[in-house]
């Protein structure tokens, strides 16, 4: 594949941000950006290399750096064996000029489970690559990709969307992408908890985005795709078939779970972007419902703008999971501490064999010639659950449906993650100040600081041994987790949620305050100061999505009016005007 810099050959002007486009265009495409950022077509030009042929809608911005990255990621690194159609997905770090989230995205983020939140610094891309012989083309091959770009982490959903749009485009050209965009522009906004019916080229994609994760209600995180009378059930809107992706290393799921949980650098060497992107996504999903807060790239190439940052040998590898296919990485990444190798003979979960644990030899330069396995010197803190592994391996040998295997695997990993996280959640609840100590006349209190030693001391009576049969050094695993981005991300999210709750409780206390008693002996300047503070707090309720019911909000406004009425007419008029 040529290493020539990708060049945009689209005839459409794409030099405006979403928030900079004309009012006419804003009105025309006011809904599509809730779902997708754009749809791109990348072709191979004999002189230019990969070239951006189309971007639709035509008023969307993609910076030159974004376009370059998309172009290189739109084709397999080595496509000699990728004849026919290939699907995979990518994750791209946006350039600094990236546009802001829509109001719909902000509302969505405030209501969705944390693991489904939009990260404003990244795009997801869903690629449908076609390569077929064509003697009318100088190179002898037709090579082109359709890529759906979205901020939403709905992996299964947009993989399906792309699989519907791309064949239509290859048959009917740009008018198919235009038609698809117009249909998507009519979709109702993605809102956690809503049941959706999304029409697209005669198909109806039925989905429900989970509002909250509930262990006893798995249907809340399910999605159903149907085209007339044909329905397919997907376990999640954001994950692919987990067992199918992990089957070749299924005997190592516990060590992989620890590596993902603690944010260790991990690289997946695979024969195609399809396999590496699925496996990387499966790895990230192993700690569900905990959000993976480190970086991950389901498919990464040597042409990526961040290639040098990830490949430097002068420091330890960053906390990232990379999926790669180019044999060059077999030498470049040999210093990485943890590597998963998928060999060329990997096909499906029904035919793959289960190998023994592989330990990567220092200085090895033949990782792309190595057998499928996990190459690491990592010593796990916990023991394996051999019963689950034997059950999965037996199911593989019996050719049990991969959907059933995935359900078994997901349940086990979910229970393992919950056993790990429940003691942390329980400890965090002890950091909340008591409601009775919240005074309406003082600022809202903050949660107490997290003390790792105090938490470890609590494990004897409330540790994971209460919910998990797995033995091992749980304390050591927790201490390693505390040094990871996953912990800092989780703690920041929980701290902010607790502080919002405390602010809501403070406002509730303020709404119940005896205003007449408080007004006694107060100077006008003190009263005006209280009015301004309450007005500010009322404005914060919607802006910060504080968990406050409407009754409390009404009572709070009534207290504000009571205070205003206590002022002289002239000062009251000034307050009302302001």
């Amino acid at each position: 594949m040529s290493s020539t810099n990708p060049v945009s050959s689209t005839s459409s002007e794409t030099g405006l941000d979403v928030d900079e486009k004309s009012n006419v265009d804003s009105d025309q495409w006011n809904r599509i950006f809730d779902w997708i950022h754009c749809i791109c077509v990348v072709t191979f030009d004999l002189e230019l290399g990969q070239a951006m042929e189309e971007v639709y809608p035509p008023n969307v911005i993609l910076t030159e750096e974004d376009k370059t990255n998309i172009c290189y990621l739109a084709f397999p690194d080595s496509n000699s064996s990728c004849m026919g159609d290939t699907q995979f997905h990518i994750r791209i770090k946006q350039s600094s000029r990236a546009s802001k989230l829509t109001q719909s995205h902000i509302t969505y983020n405030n209501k969705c489970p944390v693991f489904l939140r939009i990260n404003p610094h990244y795009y997801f891309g869903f690629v449908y690559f076609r390569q077929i012989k064509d003697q009318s083309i100088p190179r002898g091959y037709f090579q082109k990709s359709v890529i759906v770009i979205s901020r939403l982490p709905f992996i299964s959903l947009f993989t399906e969307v792309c699989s519907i749009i791309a064949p239509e485009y290859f048959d009917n050209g740009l008018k198919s992408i235009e038609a698809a965009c117009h249909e998507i522009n009519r979709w109702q906004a993605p809102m956690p908890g809503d049941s959706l019916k999304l029409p697209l080229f005669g198909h109806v994609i039925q989905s429900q985005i989970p509002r909250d994760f509930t262990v006893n209600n798995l249907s809340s995180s399910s999605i159903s795709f149907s085209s007339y009378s044909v329905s397919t059930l997907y376990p999640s809107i954001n994950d692919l078939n987990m067992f199918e992706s992990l089957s070749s290393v299924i005997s190592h799921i516990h060590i992989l779970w620890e590596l993902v949980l603690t944010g260790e650098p991990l690289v997946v060497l695979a024969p195609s972007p399809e396999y590496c992107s699925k496996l990387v996504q499966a790895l990230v999903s192993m700690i569900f419902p905990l959000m993976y807060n480190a970086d991950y790239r389901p498919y990464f190439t040597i042409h990526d703008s961040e290639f040098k940052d990830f490949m430097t040998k002068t420091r330890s590898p960053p906390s990232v999971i990379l999926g790669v296919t180019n044999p060059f990485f077999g030498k470049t990444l040999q210093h990485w501490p943890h590597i998963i190798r998928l060999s060329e003979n990997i096909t499906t979960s029904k035919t793959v064999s289960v190998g023994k644990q592989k330990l990567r030899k220092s200085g090895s330069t033949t990782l792309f010639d190595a057998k499928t396995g996990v190459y690491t010197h990592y010593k796990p803190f916990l023991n394996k659950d051999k019963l689950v592994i034997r059950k999965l391996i037996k199911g593989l040998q019996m050719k049990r449906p991969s959907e059933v295997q995935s359900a078994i695997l997901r349940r086990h990993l979910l229970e393992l993650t919950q056993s790990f996280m429940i003691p942390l959640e329980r400890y965090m609840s002890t950091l909340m100040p008591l409601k009775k100590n919240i005074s309406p006349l003082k600022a809202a209190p903050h949660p107490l600081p997290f003390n790792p030693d105090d938490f470890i001391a609590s494990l004897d009576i409330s540790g994971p041994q209460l919910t998990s049969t797995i033995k091992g050094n749980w304390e050591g695993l927790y201490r390693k987790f505390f040094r990871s981005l996953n912990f800092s991300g989780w703690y920041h999210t929980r701290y902010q949620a607790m502080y919002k709750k405390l602010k809501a409780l403070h406002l509730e206390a303020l709404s119940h305050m005896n205003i007449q008693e408080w007004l006694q002996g107060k100077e006008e300047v003190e009263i005006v100061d209280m009015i301004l503070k309450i007005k500010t707090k009322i404005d914060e309720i919607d802006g910060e999505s504080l968990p406050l019911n409407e009754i409390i909000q009404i009572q709070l406004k009534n207290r504000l009016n009571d205070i205003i009425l206590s002022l002289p007419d002239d000062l009251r008029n000034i307050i009302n005007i302001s």
Side-chain angles (χ1 to χ4, degrees), residues 323-334:
V324 301
T325 62
N326 194 316
F328 175 78
F329 287 106
K331 295 181 179 181
T332 309
L333 298 177
Q334 61 182 297

Side-chain angles (χ1 to χ4, degrees), residues 91 122 260 263-264 291-296 319-321 485-486:
R91 188 170 184 256
Y122 290 88
V260 174
E264 282 286 304
M291 183 175 183
Y292 184 77
N293 283 283
D295 196 1
Y296 67 98
S319 183
V320 63
I321 301 178
L485 292 174
N486 287 332

Side-chain angles (χ1 to χ4, degrees), residues 10-16 55 57-61:
T10 177
S11 59
S12 302
E13 176 59 51
T14 60
L16 297 174
V55 178
N59 57 309
V60 170
I61 177 68

